[in-house]
Amino acid sequence: MSARTRVVCLAGATGTGKTAAAIGLARAFGGEVINVDSRQVYQSLPVLTAQPNDGERAACPHHLYGDTPLDQPVAAGDFAVRARACAADIAGRGRLPLFVGGTGLYFRAILGGLAPIPPVPAEVRAAVAADWDRLGPAAMHARLAERDPDYAAKIAPADRQRVTRALEVEAATGRVFSDWHRQGDPAAPDYDVISLGLALPLEELAHRLARRIEAMAAGGAVEEVRAALDRYPPDVPGLSGIGGPELTAYLSGRCGLGQAKSAWLTNTRAYAKRQRTWFRKEPDIVWFGPGDEAGLLDLVGKRLEGGA
């Protein structure tokens, strides 16, 4: 038997049904789910970030969901260390690690495609944060686009955490973020990876996302953001993901709830397109439509048995 740790990676854009598919795989093959979503790591926002609910978590073990305070930034490299340790523990117990999520950069870091980035000095981080506060998102994203156009094209201008992180790294190391992405991590585990993806036509996905946002807004997302704003300023990392700024604008009186939901949907659709573009460039992913559990189970079963 190969000494390499066998893992399943299940990727796809937001709203494509990864949670249900992951549970089906975990039940069939004795697996445990490891989060690979940069929003779902945060505490206090399970509805807003579409984290697995109590019933879904009861169906199989889930790891690295909702365990990070909202005011704590999460670097991809640091998260990869935690995710790899989690996978090692799962595999050591004779179970199958299932990496599941929609953050391509996290997948790349976990699988060794992102070199470890040295810590950024506090004074550099403070200087970049001050520039963001003084100049605003558009100017800071333009600065990033000038210095690192490849990475700037992958992130939204209003994504404070990612824009400032890239600028911090460039200022501290003299190398743009994209260079670190291309280098690779020599210390990465030698995984035997089964790469799966879920996708569907954009028009169908857009309808799904619209329904999901309505359900989130009615199901507690507004109250989650309100409670978070009682404890934290609106620009903390955990509130920077899509839905956070839009609901913050509503709760601060800058727009109505309908406008907030419309902006939330627009930004979510744009994000889903960026996710699709990222994952479509990954050559080893085998793609399935949502609900094709039989196809997923068949492929994984064959691969685990040593087949094609």
Side-chain angles (χ1 to χ4, degrees), residues 131 267 297:
D131 283 350
N267 292 330
L297 295 178

Side-chain angles (χ1 to χ4, degrees), residues 3-159:
R4 299 163 70 199
T5 299
R6 181 165 283 168
V7 302
V8 171
C9 290
L10 177 61
T14 183
T16 51
K18 297 184 293 296
T19 295
I23 291 171
L25 290 168
R27 283 174 160 171
F29 301 111
E32 301 187 15
V33 177
I34 304 170
N35 174 39
V36 190
D37 186 288
S38 63
R39 298 297 97 193
Q40 293 181 344
V41 302
Y42 284 108
Q43 298 171 355
S44 308
L45 302 173
V47 176
L48 182 71
T49 61
Q51 294 178 32
N53 60 35
D54 290 343
E56 291 163 339
R57 290 179 188 240
C60 69
H62 286 70
H63 304 274
L64 305 185
Y65 289 90
D67 63 356
T68 303
L70 295 181
D71 60 350
Q72 181 176 316
V74 180
D78 295 336
F79 182 83
V81 171
R82 298 177 59 210
R84 292 172 184 171
C86 196
D89 175 69
I90 293 167
R93 291 186 277 104
R95 307 275 289 175
L96 178 66
L98 296 164
F99 291 116
V100 179
T103 302
L105 186 61
Y106 280 18
F107 275 110
R108 183 171 294 177
I110 290 166
L111 299 179
L114 177 63
I117 299 173
V120 174
E123 60 270 20
V124 174
R125 184 173 292 114
V128 173
D131 283 350
W132 178 281
D133 292 337
R134 180 170 55 88
L135 300 173
M140 294 296 278
H141 189 266
R143 179 187 295 183
L144 180 61
E146 180 180 348
R147 299 176 181 181
D148 189 0
D150 288 346
Y151 186 65
K154 298 173 183 176
I155 57 177
D159 192 332

